[in-house]
Amino acid sequence: EVQLVESGGGLVKPGGSLRLSCAASGFIFSSYSLNWVRQAPGKGLEWVSSISRSGSQIYYADSVKGRFTISRDDAKSSLFLQMNSLRVDDTAVYYCGSTPGNRAYWGQGTLVTVSS
Amino acid sequence: EIVLTQSPDTLSLSPGERATLSCRASQTVSSSYLAWYQLKPGQAPRLLIYAASSRATGIPDRFSGSASGTDFTLTINRLEPEDFAVYYCQQYGGSPRTFGQGTKVEIK
């Protein structure tokens, strides 16, 4: 069974840090470029970051550039998002998923709440 | 940055009807790298269409996508009860990989 399972979300104070993980199983993880996308409460989807299959090409939304770092560990079939200097407007459900293609995989998300 | 504008914001239809959702890009989308997603509360995003008109594996053929210049359309023929959800377009041809604001398809 194909699965992407996010973890690491929770409640953090403004200025704090969190590291999200996304564990994959059931498909060839290293063959896919991957993404983090988020949905703030009552809002639409917002793209956050992408990483290529090799890890050599990385992109960020302006809203997180300089604060978030995406990485991958193909040996562990895992994707990560290190989030520093968190702000209240980073509060959202964070989803990991593969770049659109014939087969695409997405997790059910992990909630990050930034509040004092 | 490519801005995607979806219309309408809400579509009220009955099961069995056809839904036509629009996504207009502010500039050319590279190689038609335009996708459509379905999102339901508490569920993972579901990729329906990639490359503007290709159905992802496992997606029923009542879902179809088309493109004309910077205008993209998602058509859902014969709406099923499980199709009532929010739909998003996304361009992934460059960075940032922007989403449209979403169209909610609700039961009339």
Side-chain angles (χ1 to χ4, degrees), chain A residues 38-41 86-94 111-115:
Chain A
R38 67 186 181 184
Q39 185 179 33
L86 281 161
R87 309 189 301 220
V88 171
D89 61 359
D90 292 319
T91 294
V93 175
Y94 285 73
L111 176 63
V112 172
T113 303
V114 185
S115 174

Side-chain angles (χ1 to χ4, degrees), chain B residues 6-13 21 101-107:
Chain B
Q6 292 187 239
S7 62
D9 289 334
T10 303
L11 204 48
S12 298
L13 295 167
L21 288 67
Q101 83 279 14
T103 291
K104 182 179 182 180
V105 178
E106 65 177 22
I107 299 176

Side-chain angles (χ1 to χ4, degrees), chain A residues 31-37 45 47 49-51 53 96-106, chain B residues 4 29 31-38 45-57 88-94 97-99:
Chain A
S31 296
Y32 291 83
S33 60
L34 300 162
N35 310 271
W36 287 100
V37 165
L45 292 175
W47 171 78
S49 182
S50 298
I51 186 168
R53 286 178 292 177
C96 65
S98 60
T99 294
N102 185 31
R103 296 183 186 276
Y105 308 109
W106 284 87
Chain B
L4 299 178
V29 175
S31 302
S32 293
Y33 284 155
L34 192 286
W36 289 93
Y37 292 88
Q38 179 192 72
R46 182 190 187 197
L47 177 69
L48 304 171
I49 301 289
Y50 67 98
S53 60
S54 296
R55 255 189 314 276
T57 298
Y88 294 90
C89 59
Q90 184 203 20
Q91 67 81 21
Y92 55 101
R97 299 184 176 189
T98 45
F99 283 93

Side-chain angles (χ1 to χ4, degrees), chain A residues 29-92:
Chain A
F29 183 80
S30 58
S31 296
Y32 291 83
S33 60
L34 300 162
N35 310 271
W36 287 100
V37 165
R38 67 186 181 184
Q39 185 179 33
K43 304 292 186 182
L45 292 175
E46 179 188 14
W47 171 78
V48 173
S49 182
S50 298
I51 186 168
S52 63
R53 286 178 292 177
S54 66
S56 62
Q57 293 175 294
I58 287 175
Y59 306 99
Y60 298 101
D62 285 347
S63 58
V64 307
K65 200 172 294 183
R67 301 187 298 123
F68 290 12
T69 302
I70 191 172
S71 61
R72 64 188 296 163
D73 184 339
D74 289 349
K76 295 182 179 178
S77 295
S78 293
L79 177 71
F80 305 100
L81 187 67
Q82 177 67 42
M83 305 188 296
N84 298 331
S85 303
L86 281 161
R87 309 189 301 220
V88 171
D89 61 359
D90 292 319
T91 294

Side-chain angles (χ1 to χ4, degrees), chain B residues 15 27 39-41 88:
Chain B
Q27 54 188 281
L39 189 61
K40 296 180 180 179
Y88 294 90

